[in-house]
Amino acid sequence: MAAPDESVVHGSKASPKDLPALDRLLREAAPLVAEHGHTLVAKEARALLDALRTQALAGALTRSDLDGLPAALAARVQARMQPAMRAVLNLTGTVIHTNLGRSLLADAALQQVLALMGSPNNLEFDLAAGGRGDRDELIEGLLCELTGAEAATVVNNNAAAVLLGIAALARGKEAIVSRGELVEIGGAFRMPDVMSAAGATLVEVGTTNRTHPRDYEQAITPRTGLIVKVHTSNYQVQGFTAAVDEATLAPIAHAAGLPLMTDLGSGALVDLAAYGLPAEPLPQGMLAAGCDVVTFSGDKLLGGPQAGLIVGSRAAVGRIRKYPMKRALRLSKLPLAALEATLRLYLRPERLARDLPTLRLLTRPQDQIAALAQRLLPEIAAAVAPRFTVEALALQSQIGSGSLPVERLPSAGLAITAVDGRGRTLEALATALRGLPRPVIGRVQDNRLLLDLRCLEEPALLTSQLTVLKEALS
Ligand SMILES: *Cc1c(COP(=O)(O)O)cnc(C)c1O
């Protein structure tokens, strides 16, 4: 009988005995060990051999599977060194997308982080006096200049700012809030819970839709420590409504010797209406109206890193800064460096729509986005054919992060439809897009996959992946 030819041998079943010993595999993978060290490579080699053994015992391993084991090992090691946190393309149409990392940092902020984080710096060192400094001082002057505040401090995020503000000003006392402002911001950040976490007793006044000045006045007692206003940034109550604005509430608070704190949520630092965007209340306006403390996020409309900004009167901010919890909530040097660089951009308002990605994306003209959609249409249509068809269309972007919830920005993009009309087919496309080296995140609506191109500033990041996409779909 003739010996079986090579291809038959390769196609034949492999048994666990055919697997190389760990040592042999590691010797064959010597360059990999030289690069990554023994520990990681050996761990992955063991895991690889275990997986192959299981496969062999199930009769599901062929000898050809054993070719190129060093390459398979290299792929495993590489995958382990790949960070889980990755850059994606946000084509959801929501510009400040909380699940996708909110605001993109400006170049100036990125450069500052890069320049400072690999080097010692003056985080808490007074270069003039040569002694210990305070990290707040690095940005307090800027924040005061930009908002008109007497004093400012920063913490880890706005949730921390609200928690700290209430704790510092109303722990063991009552804090008055309108029922219409007892918001949940998402991620279980509910005003009533924050109150109890801060050790303050919540006193609700008014009703869901209407609260009047006398509601606040009647709730003030010797036990009251603080009046809190919350900017209801993630929803809107419409119809028969009344709320007491800060300018009306501040004299009521101050007549009783109480501080007034406003949680602005997003807190733009410039008038967005000047850029053709829906207006958003500014911290400077809140301070001018008489608020003692105003808190807002660093990574929403401000366009910086995650941070909680606290601006206000010297007395109130001083109490907040001295409160022990501040130490646990302080901002680390990494976002602080990015925040300072971002705030400096606000010294040049004329350049802001160019330099600050969040504002640049929010103000991107619809015709420009529509032209991009037209330009990309043929390439994308070719990549997803024949199972999908693509059309360019007008879309509505959202600002996101609870900012200006009912406002929409005229935008444009592509709608992809499955020829077979099945939701599963469309889901497979969405999965393939998320599986790309730079995952593409769109949104499914009305049985179509929509790609809003507002946030696609570098189209090559998408088009360079279309060959991979086409393969993934075939
Ligand atoms: C977003 C938001 C917060 C929380 O801010 P983070 O920076 O995400 O911690 C608090 N209050 C309001 C009104 C908000 O919109």
Side-chain angles (χ1 to χ4, degrees):
M1 209 172 122
D5 73 31
E6 192 64 19
S7 66
V8 174
V9 171
H10 264 79
S12 68
K13 295 265 188 283
S15 86
K17 286 200 310 275
D18 299 319
L19 293 172
L22 178 67
D23 284 352
R24 199 184 106 205
L25 178 55
L26 288 177
R27 272 198 305 280
E28 283 174 18
L32 203 60
V33 177
E35 187 183 349
H36 298 279
H38 181 270
T39 307
L40 176 64
V41 180
K43 187 187 203 174
E44 289 308 312
R46 249 178 246 116
L48 175 62
L49 292 173
D50 282 350
L52 293 172
R53 195 168 296 115
T54 309
Q55 236 178 304
L57 288 172
L61 193 70
T62 61
R63 293 194 179 203
S64 59
D65 290 335
L66 299 179
D67 292 343
L69 282 192
L73 180 57
R76 281 186 82 109
V77 169
Q78 219 141 55
R80 286 306 306 278
M81 292 309 292
Q82 191 78 32
M85 192 169 173
R86 294 159 64 190
V88 306
L89 291 178
N90 171 13
L91 306 190
T92 61
T94 300
V95 177
I96 310 173
H97 199 302
T98 291
N99 304 144
L100 301 181
R102 289 197 183 157
S103 282
L104 316 182
L105 289 185
D107 271 341
L110 294 172
Q111 296 308 324
Q112 180 71 345
V113 168
L114 205 60
L116 287 191
M117 291 307 119
S119 162
N121 54 60
N122 61 334
L123 178 67
E124 290 184 351
F125 187 79
D126 185 333
L127 287 172
R132 193 195 164 114
D134 182 337
R135 66 180 68 200
D136 272 358
E137 276 164 21
L138 296 169
I139 50 141
E140 183 173 22
L142 254 179
L143 265 174
C144 290
E145 181 181 349
L146 294 170
T147 63
E150 286 176 3
T153 183
V154 286
V155 287
N156 184 51
N157 53 23
N158 187 37
V162 175
L163 177 70
L164 178 63
I166 294 171
L169 302 175
R171 184 172 199 88
K173 298 198 166 167
E174 293 177 353
I176 302 174
V177 188
S178 162
R179 283 203 173 83
E181 297 171 8
L182 290 174
V183 297
E184 172 178 316
I185 286 118
F189 185 78
R190 291 178 162 189
M191 212 18 106
D193 301 336
V194 176
M195 285 281 174
S196 59
T201 304
L202 171 65
V203 174
E204 304 173 23
V205 297
T207 60
T208 304
N209 59 329
R210 292 174 71 83
T211 301
H212 305 282
R214 63 172 183 277
D215 294 324
Y216 287 97
E217 284 164 339
Q218 287 164 4
I220 294 174
T221 73
R223 294 181 302 278
T224 310
L226 178 68
I227 298 182
V228 179
K229 279 282 291 179
V230 184
H231 183 57
T232 54
S233 53
N234 56 359
Y235 74 103
Q236 245 181 26
V237 181
Q238 284 174 335
F240 186 57
T241 66
V244 184
D245 65 18
E246 281 76 358
T248 311
L249 200 47
I252 295 173
H254 296 160
L258 296 169
L260 171 63
M261 171 169 140
T262 288
D263 171 20
L264 260 193
S266 220
L269 278 181
V270 288
D271 178 15
L272 294 183
Y275 295 90
L277 294 167
E280 175 84 355
L282 307 179
Q284 40 274 54
M286 292 292 150
L287 293 168
C291 290
D292 301 274
V293 178
V294 181
T295 72
F296 51 103
S297 280
D299 56 355
K300 292 184 179 171
L301 286 169
L302 187 97
Q306 179 187 305
L309 291 83
I310 303 172
V311 297
S313 69
R314 207 164 282 120
V317 173
R319 281 170 73 186
I320 290 171
R321 189 178 283 144
K322 281 201 217 80
Y323 197 74
M325 193 193 281
K326 165 76 162 55
R327 174 65 177 75
L329 302 175
R330 74 181 183 186
L331 194 61
S332 104
K333 63 180 179 177
L334 215 143
L336 189 62
L339 181 63
E340 187 199 346
T342 306
L343 289 174
R344 283 200 193 280
L345 295 177
Y346 281 87
L347 297 175
R348 309 190 304 203
E350 296 85 356
R351 305 286 174 101
L352 209 53
R354 180 195 71 179
D355 294 345
L356 198 68
T358 300
L359 193 57
R360 188 169 70 228
L361 293 172
L362 289 174
T363 55
R364 199 170 176 194
Q366 184 184 31
D367 54 2
Q368 197 189 93
I369 309 169
L372 177 61
Q374 286 301 340
R375 184 151 77 73
L376 295 185
L377 175 61
E379 274 181 88
I380 294 187
V384 299
R387 285 159 69 206
F388 302 92
T389 58
V390 187
E391 62 177 320
L393 77 178
L395 291 170
Q396 302 275 308
S397 302
Q398 294 188 42
I399 292 173
S401 262
S403 315
L404 313 156
V406 294
E407 307 285 354
R408 293 288 183 274
L409 308 172
S411 185
L414 300 167
I416 310 183
T417 312
V419 171
D420 66 13
R422 289 170 56 187
R424 271 240 232 111
T425 311
L426 202 62
E427 218 30 74
L429 173 65
T431 304
L433 284 165
R434 290 198 307 272
L436 290 171
R438 186 175 290 231
V440 174
I441 321 291
R443 70 177 198 270
V444 171
Q445 191 179 303
D446 302 331
N447 221 16
R448 296 182 303 180
L449 182 72
L450 303 180
L451 303 178
D452 186 317
L453 300 182
R454 170 176 297 278
C455 296
L456 185 66
E457 291 198 289
E458 287 181 68
L461 293 176
L462 177 62
T463 53
S464 63
Q465 303 193 101
L466 291 177
T467 321
V468 183
L469 177 67
K470 191 161 184 65
E471 263 164 40
L473 291 175
S474 67

